[in-house]
Amino acid sequence: MRFYEFESRRIVERAGIPVTEYGFAKTAAEAEKAAKKIGGPVVVKSQVLTGGRMKAGGVRFADTPSEAKSAAADILKLEIGGHMPVGVLVDPKAEVEQEYYAAVLWDGRAKRPMMLFSDMGGIDIEEVAEKHPDHVGRGHLSNLLPIPDFRAKEVVASVGMTGSELNRATPILARLARLQRDYDMTLAEINPVARLSDGSFVALDAHMEMEDEAVGRHKKMLAEIG
């Protein structure tokens, strides 16, 4: 089961991972209201279960609530890859200083979860791994034992992060790992994790995929994020 971005954002937020203030809107008027609540420039993003949103025109920037309303009206009518949007996500236009990549996925070969972290976020992790392998940290986890923060810290530190940045990024990866196990995710990904101008770390986008046979076990959570 694949989740929309707004659902993934809610799952990440439930896990205690910091996110920006955002709003999910099904109409242009709701998008305008969300932009007013956020204040300042925003990004309006189509909610479809496919890639290529930016190239297709499904991601628009707006400086005012009225511009957000107009952008949402256009996006809600836009088909992308054969998919019509279920709504739009309205996000503040964050002042980003650095982008990172964090993910926990099921490694079928090792039959264990694997953490991934890179200090080159916002782009395809496979491309980073191929061209800049030293910028991708990896670490497997036990299927049964508790997930300690130090395992996540080792992965983050392996790409050269130190000091306050290491200490702020570590709990994000550790909580993502616990989320992946708790909700039977085959993939729990944040791309990017952003370091903002004030030094804080937040999830700017998220991608979650759950094992289909696990859906019945998580009906409560699914009802709460829908």
Side-chain angles (χ1 to χ4, degrees), residues 38-76:
I38 292 170
V42 297
V43 186
V44 183
K45 298 190 279 185
S46 177
Q47 295 301 284
V48 289
L49 293 178
T50 186
R53 291 182 301 176
M54 180 70 79
K55 290 182 179 179
V59 178
R60 299 264 298 271
F61 296 92
D63 291 327
T64 66
S66 62
E67 288 182 8
K69 180 180 181 180
S70 177
D74 292 339
I75 290 172
L76 288 168

Side-chain angles (χ1 to χ4, degrees), residues 61-216:
F61 296 92
D63 291 327
T64 66
S66 62
E67 288 182 8
K69 180 180 181 180
S70 177
D74 292 339
I75 290 172
L76 288 168
K77 295 181 291 186
L78 182 65
E79 181 179 320
I80 302 176
H83 296 261
M84 292 300 296
V86 297
V88 295
L89 189 144
V90 183
D91 219 11
K93 187 178 179 182
E95 296 182 13
V96 178
E97 288 195 343
Q98 174 78 33
E99 293 186 341
Y100 305 92
Y101 174 93
V104 184
L105 53 87
W106 179 254
D107 185 342
R109 291 184 178 180
K111 295 185 179 180
R112 290 191 294 166
M114 180 172 67
M115 294 183 290
L116 294 173
F117 189 86
S118 175
D119 58 351
M120 297 178 67
I123 56 178
D124 188 344
I125 190 62
E126 293 180 358
E127 179 182 343
V128 176
E130 180 182 347
K131 297 182 179 179
H132 309 281
D134 54 324
H135 286 269
V136 182
R138 298 176 175 85
H140 284 96
L141 296 165
S142 167
N143 289 316
L144 301 174
L145 298 176
I147 299 172
D149 280 12
F150 80 82
R151 288 293 293 122
K153 192 169 189 176
E154 289 174 344
V155 174
V156 176
S158 70
V159 299
M161 289 182 67
T162 59
S164 63
E165 292 182 4
L166 173 62
N167 292 332
R168 292 183 179 184
T170 292
I172 291 178
L173 184 58
R175 290 168 186 169
L176 193 64
R178 295 177 190 125
L179 177 165
Q180 185 270 340
R181 176 189 288 179
D182 290 346
Y183 295 128
D184 298 297
M185 298 291 182
T186 56
L187 174 64
E189 177 184 76
I190 302 174
N191 188 25
V193 175
R195 186 182 79 238
L196 304 182
S197 56
D198 63 1
S200 62
F201 279 61
V202 298
L204 289 188
D205 199 347
H207 179 187
M208 302 283 150
E209 295 184 16
M210 178 185 287
E211 295 177 10
D212 289 337
E213 59 269 26
V215 171

